[in-house]
Each structure stands twice: as structure tokens, then as C-alpha cells.
């Protein structure tokens, strides 16, 4: 998977057509290892993102956050919060990530189901700075499971809150 610098800025608004898109993808091979920025990942139903630390776990397959919520967190925190340092896998360029368990997120062939709200951990204060955990509270996105497999790429369109069958 080709990587690109994780310092790339995340757009704060939808593209010209008003479409929510994948702005950044980050994975880590193990817990506490730095996140790597990649251009695409394979998501496996019932398993998660291939090569990520949570691949094969029961429910924590993919974490999703929004650049909009990151911008709000940065205002509270008093400085930028890089997407790569939040420990989330997917960053959307805009929109509100669904928080309700059972809500669906469609990214191409991939279908995600929200399991729970992603709670920011204490590690964020160590990596971003004191107060980051609190600034991200209620803005840290959602934890999802993968229901349908496929490739997720930076730039892919995202459908938020797709109805369950």
C-alpha cells in the first residue's frame, strides 16, 4: 500500500458536489505503534481492515471520524489536532459520523455498522498534548464492524446513516 505523509491537511468541507468523502486513512500494525497514512485498505467482513491492529477482533473493526468534528475539537483544544494522532482509521472530509448502534455507513462496496461511540483514550494526552482527550470527548467518531467487504480508498464517496435492511 503506498503511503503519503500523515501531515497532509484534512479538508474541512465537502467537495464541490457536496459529497462526503474519505479524506484520510490511517492504520497501525499493533496497539501503541504510530499510525501510518495509506491511500487504500482492504476491509474484510467480520474481520476489519487487513493489516490494522484490530483486524480479527469481534466488533472493533474500523473507527471513523469527521474532519468537521476534528475542527471543533481543535477550537476547544486551542491548536490543530492531526487526524493521524487521533488513532482513528478513517477520516471523512465533512459530515456527522453516525453514533447510534446499528446505523450504517456505505463506502463503495464496503458496508459498516456502528457498534458504539469511539471514546478518546488517555494516550491522546500523551501524543497530542494535555487536554486532547477532553477536547475530543463526544467528537471522536464511532467504532464500526465490517458487514460487507471491499476496498476503501482516499477520495471514495461515503453515504452516512444508510438504513438497515
Amino acid at each position: 500500500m503506498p503511503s503519503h505523509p500523515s501531515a497532509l491537511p484534512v479538508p474541512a468541507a465537502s467537495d464541490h458536489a457536496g459529497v462526503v468523502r474519505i479524506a484520510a486513512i490511517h492504520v497501525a500494525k499493533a496497539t501503541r505503534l504510530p499510525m501510518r497514512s495509506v491511500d487504500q485498505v482492504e476491509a474484510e467482513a467480520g474481520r476489519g481492515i487487513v493489516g490494522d491492529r484490530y483486524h480479527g477482533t469481534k466488533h472493533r473493526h474500523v473507527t471513523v471520524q469527521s474532519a468537521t468534528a476534528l475542527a471543533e475539537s481543535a477550537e476547544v483544544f486551542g491548536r490543530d489536532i492531526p487526524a493521524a494522532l487521533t488513532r482513528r482509521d478513517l477520516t471523512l472530509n465533512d459530515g456527522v459520523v453516525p453514533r447510534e448502534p446499528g446505523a450504517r455507513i456505505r463506502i463503495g462496496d464496503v458496508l459498516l455498522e456502528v457498534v458504539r461511540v469511539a471514546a478518546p483514550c488517555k494516550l491522546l494526552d500523551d501524543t497530542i498534548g494535555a487536554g486532547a482527550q477532553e477536547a475530543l470527548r463526544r467528537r471522536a467518531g464511532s467504532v464500526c464492524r465490517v458487514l460487507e467487504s471491499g476496498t476503501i480508498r482516499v477520495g471514495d464517496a461515503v453515504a452516512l446513516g444508510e438504513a438497515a435492511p
Side-chain angles (χ1 to χ4, degrees):
M1 283 180 242
S3 63
H4 54 282
S6 59
L8 290 175
V10 176
S14 299
D15 64 20
H16 64 280
V19 177
V20 175
R21 296 192 179 277
I22 299 293
I25 303 172
H26 295 93
V27 294
K29 290 186 180 193
T31 57
R32 297 200 169 264
L33 286 182
M35 300 292 280
R36 291 181 308 111
S37 179
V38 296
D39 293 325
Q40 67 180 37
V41 290
E42 292 299 319
E44 288 184 339
R47 307 227 358 115
I49 295 176
V50 176
D52 187 60
R53 67 210 180 278
Y54 294 116
H55 184 259
T57 59
K58 187 173 181 182
H59 298 295
R60 189 185 177 103
H61 297 162
V62 180
T63 51
V64 183
Q65 67 185 352
S66 168
T68 305
L70 274 180
E72 292 169 7
S73 297
E75 283 184 35
V76 171
F77 187 56
R79 64 179 195 261
D80 285 342
I81 298 177
L85 296 182
T86 63
R87 313 290 301 166
R88 302 295 175 253
D89 297 306
L90 305 178
T91 303
L92 310 181
N93 66 335
D94 194 18
V96 176
V97 175
R99 300 167 50 119
E100 307 77 31
R104 307 289 174 95
I105 301 171
R106 170 71 68 182
I107 308 163
D109 292 335
V110 177
L111 181 62
L112 305 177
E113 179 181 60
V114 174
V115 175
R116 64 178 172 80
V117 170
C121 68
K122 176 75 174 116
L123 182 61
L124 298 176
D125 282 355
D126 298 336
T127 57
I128 299 172
Q133 179 185 16
E134 183 58 34
L136 284 160
R137 193 170 313 284
R138 294 173 299 283
R139 300 177 189 95
S142 294
V143 175
C144 302
R145 74 177 116 230
V146 180
L147 299 179
E148 296 176 11
S149 303
T151 302
I152 299 172
R153 295 175 184 85
V154 171
D156 281 353
V158 178
L160 297 171
E162 184 172 295

